[in-house]
Amino acid sequence: MSWINESGPFNGIVMSSRVRIARNIAGLPFPSIASPEVLQKAVDMVKKSILESNSILSRDFDFVSLRNLSDVEKYILVEKHLISPDLVERAEVAAALINHNEQISIMVNEEDHIRMQCIFPGFQLDKAWELLNRVDDIVEESIEYSFDEHLGYLTSCPTNVGTGMRASVMMHLPGLVATKYINSVLQTISKVGLTARGLYGEGSEALGDIYQISNQITLGPSEEEIISNINIAVRQLMENERMARQALMQSNKLEFEDRIWRSLGILTHARKLSLQEFMSLLSQVRLGVDMGIINGIDVVMLNELMVKCQPAHLQAYIGRETSAEELDVARADRVKNELSKVT
Amino acid sequence: MSWINESGPFNGIVMSSRVRIARNIAGLPFPSIASPEVLQKAVDMVKKSILESNSILSRDFDFVSLRNLSDVEKYILVEKHLISPDLVERAEVAAALINHNEQISIMVNEEDHIRMQCIFPGFQLDKAWELLNRVDDIVEESIEYSFDEHLGYLTSCPTNVGTGMRASVMMHLPGLVATKYINSVLQTISKVGLTARGLYGEGSEALGDIYQISNQITLGPSEEEIISNINIAVRQLMENERMARQALMQSNKLEFEDRIWRSLGILTHARKLSLQEFMSLLSQVRLGVDMGIINGIDVVMLNELMVKCQPAHLQAYIGRETSAEELDVARADRVKNELSKVT
């Protein structure tokens, strides 16, 4: 049940739900100041904790040493949201454990010794947290975490101390963007301790009208409170987005449908597509599919297409080093092929 | 062999070749100053000259009294280039004789008593003139023209005196427009006594990169000289256009093809298309077809589509009075239907 190629609740607006927790191994210095030997020890401990566990859950994990991957392979994992760009930066000493359906990943030697996450399609933070909790328990069977009775889990960066949790929901908000309500909505979000980022994390633009809503605060509220806060905000955002879409359609149905169909026309006919243009056209098509204007395509297929057309995936598809222009050509080619199967 | 739905020589650049001559009936005042009775007499005389002739050619003409046509029916004839907007202005007293394949039309009581034309697909002014000459002979069997030994044929407006001939070639010049050579090329044209107008005559914009090249002078040169001058200029323009297209493709093939394919994508997916946008997209697609970039469509089909999507044709297609927006919707609908048969 990967977020990329499976359906989930409220998939028309919520693309995925992810929970990650930061943990460190008691008695070892944080990765940024640890020696290569210590970092290797952390890798070995985490690997063992999963691969040698008796739990059913731990059976279908693959261990990946990042230094054995090509750049393209590493960034494919980033584009799937299975590892972070920061982990790639530390590739020489970093590793990851990823389960077969790519729902769970455990990063070793990112900012913290352990960063583990569950990512589910659609809006199901609670389930993601439930599963992640089980993985956390498995690791904790053999590893003692750095933990302070008053502060909670200790982390390399103070912003993660406490629960070490960041829960985030990836939302497709073209209605709020088109009606220009997005900024005021995001301001409201920030007032309740949440933050909005683009598709690929901090600093990344909100390409394709996609926003990741997550908690800023890890210290104070419990894990359940963090998730509950986000759930409330996401429900509100979904409602706002639905209203914005209806308003757009009602104010000028023809204009609305025209824009959506033209986007599909360009997507299926262009000979080159920049990432930005692709994401923007895809956003319109996704909106059209969810609003019942375009039939025969489903949003899951579009999620998959979105990931397949990110730079590293395309690079792998081409199979050799490419210029930016070749990437744009490959993107257009891939979009045309994939969409011609269904349109 | 109508220009709209048949192929002709050099059809990739030359859409149609047309020759028209202005004639007046000796002894009758020009239409602008003639009484209703005189105008009716002119109609009767011309009608009789064709319909009661023994020639094979005259057998398949239909007589149309303009006052019996609805506005839409009249403008459909204008859009097919079978009658002029000026004739519509005089609908109460005007008539036309049009042959079945819509290659020949004879207008009665336009600016002159008789304006007859032949229009052929592609580049074949000589053939059009040859056929028109035969029609002229048929009419002259029973009607004496106003003719002055020194001046030639007398016409209502001095610009038509002499041969009374205007020969024009409709050209598709997207290469010269895109490379911005069009203005200097048209200036050169004007220096040799020719003029360029848009698709629907004087004052009409050059929608869809379409230009009608015709002679400005009717007095002095013979009919054959007029046609020969235009033939020379058109051959030169075709060469210029071919070079411009090659230059565009060679300077950035990807950009060139991308623009063409996107135009097809928008044409086949839009839910509304203004006349101007439609003509501009169609121009790109026509270019793509002629350059071998788009297969499965031929330029004749695009000529037909162009005419079918003009306002009066669309009005007839809808079958009732419509707003401008409804027309744009009908245009998009029609384009999608017609192109979906072939793409």
Side-chain angles (χ1 to χ4, degrees), chain B residues 20 62 66 97 139 153 168 206 231 244 268 301 322 330 336:
Chain B
R20 72 108 168 109
D62 279 330
L66 258 70
L97 288 134
V139 176
Y153 295 102
S168 71
N231 279 345
T268 50
M301 187 257 174
T322 48
K336 190 159 61 76

Side-chain angles (χ1 to χ4, degrees), chain A residues 13-272:
Chain A
I13 297 177
V14 181
M15 302 175 75
S16 67
S17 301
R18 171 160 56 157
V19 183
R20 73 106 169 109
I21 49 178
R23 298 287 185 262
N24 285 280
I25 302 171
L28 296 188
F30 289 136
S32 59
I33 52 164
S35 67
E37 293 71 31
V38 168
L39 293 168
Q40 186 55 49
K41 188 173 176 190
V43 168
D44 293 340
M45 286 174 76
V46 178
K47 180 179 177 181
K48 204 172 148 189
S49 77
I50 291 292
L51 300 187
E52 296 185 10
S53 155
N54 291 323
S55 79
I56 297 171
L57 188 59
S58 67
R59 278 182 203 161
D60 66 340
F61 274 83
D62 278 329
F63 174 81
V64 183
S65 183
L66 258 70
R67 65 172 159 260
N68 296 334
L69 300 183
S70 68
D71 280 350
V72 166
E73 287 169 329
K74 283 179 282 211
Y75 279 104
I76 281 180
L77 296 177
V78 172
E79 289 172 357
K80 287 176 165 181
H81 283 165
L82 292 172
I83 66 173
S84 66
D86 277 357
L87 196 74
V88 174
E89 295 291 305
R90 298 159 188 260
E92 273 312 299
V93 295
L97 288 132
I98 300 171
N99 80 335
H100 290 168
N101 65 18
E102 302 192 332
Q103 231 169 35
I104 310 167
S105 70
I106 304 168
M107 294 186 273
V108 190
N109 295 334
E110 211 244 27
E111 204 176 271
D112 298 295
H113 295 135
I114 303 170
R115 289 252 176 136
M116 60 178 90
Q117 69 160 32
C118 277
I119 182 165
F120 274 55
F123 185 29
Q124 38 188 348
L125 268 187
D126 301 287
K127 284 201 179 166
W129 169 229
E130 198 184 298
L131 181 61
L132 186 61
N133 222 341
R134 288 172 54 203
V135 181
D136 190 28
D137 288 345
I138 293 171
V139 176
E140 217 177 357
E141 280 170 17
S142 61
I143 290 178
E144 191 190 341
Y145 291 148
S146 295
F147 186 80
D148 178 276
E149 265 190 36
H150 298 290
L151 290 173
Y153 294 102
L154 300 177
T155 56
S156 172
C157 175
T159 59
N160 287 307
V161 166
T163 55
M165 174 192 276
R166 189 174 302 263
S168 71
V169 173
M170 187 156 70
M171 304 186 78
H172 181 227
L173 304 175
L176 291 172
V177 172
T179 55
K180 302 197 164 54
Y181 279 114
I182 190 73
N183 287 333
S184 74
V185 159
L186 296 183
Q187 270 171 25
T188 310
I189 288 291
S190 73
K191 283 181 193 149
V192 296
L194 302 182
T195 185
R197 300 174 303 159
L199 174 57
Y200 287 108
E202 281 172 85
S204 77
E205 286 172 274
L207 281 177
D209 308 321
I210 293 170
Y211 292 84
Q212 292 192 65
I213 312 300
S214 63
N215 59 309
Q216 271 176 312
I217 298 159
T218 55
L219 185 64
S222 69
E223 286 86 349
E224 286 69 23
E225 281 166 338
I226 290 171
I227 285 177
S228 163
N229 278 344
I230 295 187
N231 280 345
I232 290 165
V234 168
R235 271 192 209 98
Q236 184 62 51
L237 275 171
M238 284 202 296
E239 193 49 34
N240 293 343
E241 172 64 19
R242 273 194 211 102
M243 282 166 60
R245 292 181 182 189
Q246 287 301 331
L248 280 173
M249 191 149 95
Q250 276 159 21
S251 80
N252 194 336
K253 190 164 187 282
L254 178 60
E255 193 81 49
F256 186 77
E257 296 191 350
D258 187 52
R259 189 163 54 240
I260 285 167
W261 281 107
R262 281 169 185 249
S263 299
L264 182 62
I266 297 171
L267 265 187
T268 50
H269 287 76
R271 284 303 176 262
K272 59 179 176 126

Side-chain angles (χ1 to χ4, degrees), chain B residues 46 93 112 185 192 203 221 224 228 233 292 301 331:
Chain B
V46 179
V93 295
D112 298 295
V185 159
V192 295
E224 286 69 23
S228 164
M301 187 257 174
R331 184 174 291 116

Side-chain angles (χ1 to χ4, degrees), chain B residues 128-185:
Chain B
W129 169 228
E130 199 184 298
L131 181 60
L132 186 61
N133 224 339
R134 290 173 53 203
V135 181
D136 191 27
D137 289 345
I138 294 171
V139 176
E140 218 177 354
E141 280 170 18
S142 62
I143 290 177
E144 190 190 343
Y145 292 147
S146 297
F147 186 81
D148 178 277
E149 264 189 37
H150 298 290
L151 290 172
Y153 295 102
L154 300 176
T155 56
S156 173
C157 176
T159 59
N160 288 309
V161 166
T163 55
M165 175 192 276
R166 189 174 301 264
S168 71
V169 173
M170 187 156 69
M171 303 187 77
H172 182 227
L173 304 174
L176 291 172
V177 171
T179 55
K180 302 196 165 54
Y181 280 113
I182 190 72
N183 288 332
S184 74
V185 159

Side-chain angles (χ1 to χ4, degrees), chain B residues 223-339:
Chain B
E223 286 87 347
E224 286 69 23
E225 282 167 338
I226 290 171
I227 285 177
S228 164
N229 279 345
I230 296 188
N231 279 345
I232 291 166
V234 167
R235 272 191 209 100
Q236 185 61 51
L237 274 171
M238 284 203 295
E239 193 49 34
N240 294 342
E241 172 64 18
R242 274 194 209 101
M243 282 167 62
R245 291 181 182 189
Q246 287 301 331
L248 279 173
M249 190 148 96
Q250 276 158 23
S251 81
N252 194 335
K253 190 164 188 284
L254 178 60
E255 194 80 49
F256 186 76
E257 297 190 350
D258 187 51
R259 191 165 51 242
I260 284 167
W261 280 106
R262 281 169 184 248
S263 299
L264 182 62
I266 296 172
L267 266 187
T268 50
H269 286 76
R271 283 303 176 265
K272 59 180 176 129
L273 287 167
S274 70
L275 178 62
Q276 185 165 1
E277 188 189 13
F278 162 70
M279 292 295 287
S280 148
L281 295 169
L282 193 71
S283 172
Q284 288 296 310
V285 171
R286 197 180 202 282
L287 177 62
V289 167
D290 187 54
M291 299 292 281
I293 292 161
I294 297 176
N295 296 308
I297 304 181
D298 65 49
V299 291
V300 174
M301 187 257 174
L302 296 177
N303 292 349
E304 204 172 351
L305 186 62
M306 180 183 86
V307 175
K308 278 181 175 171
C309 289
Q310 297 302 316
H313 277 78
L314 285 178
Q315 201 82 50
Y317 175 67
I318 300 173
R320 54 174 173 75
E321 286 257 339
T322 48
S323 66
E325 190 178 71
E326 282 177 301
L327 220 53
D328 290 352
V329 172
R331 184 174 291 116
D333 187 51
R334 190 139 207 206
V335 169
K336 190 159 61 76
N337 287 344
E338 296 288 327
L339 287 179

